Amino acid sequence: MTSGKRAVKAPQLDLDAILDDQNTRIVVCCGSGGVGKTTTAAALGLRAAERGRHVVVLTVDPARRLAQSMGLTSLDNTPRRITEIDGDGQLHAMMLDMKRTFDEIIEAHADPERAKQILTNPFYQSLSSSFSGTQEYMAMEKLGQLRRSGDWDLIIVDTPPSRSALDFLDAPERLGRFLDGRLIRILIAPAKAGGRSAFKLINAGFGLVAGALTKVLGAQVLTDIQTFVSALDALFGGFRQRAEQTYRLLQAPGTAFVVVATPERDAIREASYFVERLAEERMPLAGLVVNRVHRSPAPALSAARSTAAAEDLESRGEHELTAAVLRLHAGRMQLAAREHREQEHFTSAHPTVPISQVPAMSEDVHDLAGLRQIGELLAAG
């Protein structure tokens, strides 16, 4: 720090207070990829359950680490009870099945004949599996379903591993733009107009666009899209309405966003972006979790002194092992200093955001005991 400036000390993030507060109904863990969101979400879920809450953890991470660490062979679209927990609470876990969630919506909101028409449509099968934003939108849908069920008093969400961890906030708007797009409106026109004249209408309205699409996609694909859109038109309003309800739920006081990062430049920069974006969207931010922080068991011995001592021993040809340990310590101190500077950049930009630090572990978490340990470290900060 330059002279005249003092380091800003961040407030401590009290995660136990958040988990114990019965008014907290949703905790959303967000951050860039590879920072430990899934582990953080699972550890918070376990800790909340062992402190008496009835919890469900919703993960959309394609890796199976969550299931393995919780002692389950697999997770799917149905919440699974984890029985090996201490305390009076309950813990369930599930992994978002994007296509199955989409299918459930169709089955719930369309009559059987129309549902069958949609589910067997080739365009729908492609859309439900690979359309950009479908995973994020379905995460929002599933969150809304879990909240409406009333079966749990706390839902913890591990956000999608997408380019931006806040893509799921944009998903309803993106889907809305898709549904309201000019192409979709033209495709819907035949069903709304009815009869043979409708197809004259689409030819007139589509003109060259339809011809170009037929060349690119083929007549059958274009027909599949028309059939799909016509069948789904009645459900469009419901999609948008539920998305808006879930979005408002995320803005409500009972929701807490926990941004997760590692003490590295790119991850901290992403964390700053998430914090700013959440403020713009009026989403309630709980604080920042900094994962995998490196610390030294001998912080009083500086990197410079350690390096100097190692050089002295090496110059005399003595105590090679001691010199190697000193150099290892110097490297660790330098790493810790770099991480501290990165965190200071965040704190100076966001001085009021509470922070909890989790030290780097010697091995990956692979069971409930490991999750329990992470939960204790998260609470201790």
Side-chain angles (χ1 to χ4, degrees):
M1 301 294 287
T2 57
S3 61
K5 288 187 178 180
R6 296 182 61 188
V8 179
K9 184 173 176 59
Q12 174 66 37
L13 174 57
D14 189 346
L15 284 164
D16 276 352
I18 293 168
L19 298 178
D20 291 346
D21 185 351
Q22 296 297 317
N23 292 319
T24 302
R25 306 301 299 274
I26 297 171
V27 173
V28 182
C29 296
C30 58
S32 54
V35 296
K37 290 194 304 290
T38 302
T39 302
T40 299
L44 290 175
L46 176 61
R47 188 165 182 83
E50 294 191 334
R51 295 172 73 87
R53 303 294 299 269
H54 285 208
V55 188
V56 60
V57 177
L58 167 63
T59 182
V60 286
D61 190 327
R64 302 283 164 168
R65 294 190 312 274
L66 181 64
Q68 293 163 359
S69 64
M70 291 183 163
L72 298 172
T73 55
S74 65
L75 290 178
D76 55 24
N77 222 36
T78 303
R80 303 291 177 188
R81 175 91 179 264
I82 288 88
T83 56
E84 302 298 318
I85 69 166
D86 302 328
D88 299 326
Q90 288 185 10
L91 179 61
H92 289 76
M94 62 179 296
M95 181 176 292
L96 179 74
D97 183 329
M98 179 175 69
K99 188 177 187 311
R100 183 63 209 138
T101 300
F102 212 150
D103 291 351
E104 288 171 357
I105 296 166
I106 303 300
E107 291 164 354
H109 298 281
D111 60 74
E113 184 178 344
R114 177 164 292 192
K116 182 180 178 182
Q117 186 181 12
I118 295 171
L119 295 175
T120 57
N121 184 278
F123 180 71
Y124 167 76
Q125 292 172 358
S126 175
L127 174 76
S128 59
S129 302
S130 58
F131 182 70
S132 174
T134 303
Q135 185 181 50
E136 289 83 2
Y137 180 83
M138 289 306 141
M140 295 279 279
E141 274 279 357
K142 183 55 69 175
L143 171 58
Q145 289 176 13
L146 293 172
R147 185 69 180 86
R148 288 190 295 273
S149 76
D151 293 336
W152 299 275
D153 59 33
L154 179 61
I155 303 165
I156 297 183
V157 183
D158 164 36
T159 54
S162 46
R163 180 187 57 78
S164 166
L166 289 183
D167 276 355
F168 76 105
L169 292 179
D170 295 324
E173 184 183 350
R174 279 209 309 278
L175 186 71
R177 284 199 303 267
F178 169 71
L179 299 179
D180 289 333
R182 186 180 174 190
L183 171 62
I184 296 298
R185 293 296 109 195
I186 293 173
L187 288 170
I188 287 174
K192 289 194 168 179
R196 290 181 177 273
S197 61
F199 290 97
K200 293 179 182 177
L201 174 65
I202 193 169
N203 287 334
F206 231 2
L208 296 174
V209 178
L213 277 174
T214 302
K215 288 179 182 177
V216 174
L217 302 175
Q220 183 58 49
V221 173
L222 189 59
T223 301
D224 289 339
I225 295 173
Q226 286 176 285
T227 305
F228 163 72
V229 172
S230 299
L232 199 61
D233 183 40
L235 303 180
F236 280 177
F239 272 72
R240 192 175 293 103
Q241 182 183 27
R242 288 192 305 279
E244 288 171 356
Q245 288 172 348
T246 304
Y247 197 82
R248 287 195 296 272
L249 190 63
L250 292 174
Q251 292 176 316
T255 298
F257 279 82
V258 174
V259 179
V260 184
T262 50
E264 298 161 0
R265 181 166 299 175
D266 288 346
I268 291 292
R269 188 183 294 124
E270 285 285 290
S272 289
Y273 162 70
F274 299 145
V275 166
E276 291 158 10
R277 175 70 194 281
L278 289 168
E280 288 173 13
E281 303 289 338
R282 301 190 304 281
M283 301 284 180
L285 172 67
L288 172 70
V289 168
V290 184
N291 262 334
R292 304 177 197 140
V293 176
H294 290 88
R295 295 171 180 162
S296 170
L301 180 58
S302 70
R305 285 176 59 202
S306 184
T307 301
E311 288 174 349
D312 181 55
L313 289 172
E314 288 165 349
S315 67
R316 290 184 283 156
E318 299 175 353
H319 304 287
E320 290 182 5
L321 180 58
T322 304
V325 171
L326 286 166
R327 287 199 177 278
L328 186 65
H329 172 76
R332 192 175 182 88
M333 290 296 288
Q334 289 165 348
L335 175 59
R338 283 198 304 273
E339 292 179 348
H340 183 69
R341 285 194 298 272
E342 294 301 336
Q343 188 173 307
E344 278 192 333
H345 291 321
F346 177 91
T347 303
S348 61
H350 309 284
T352 62
V353 175
I355 293 178
S356 175
Q357 294 184 338
V358 178
M361 306 289 285
S362 58
E363 58 182 26
D364 289 338
V365 174
H366 59 271
D367 56 17
L368 285 178
L371 285 178
R372 195 171 287 119
Q373 184 182 6
I374 292 291
E376 291 168 357
L377 293 169
L378 283 163

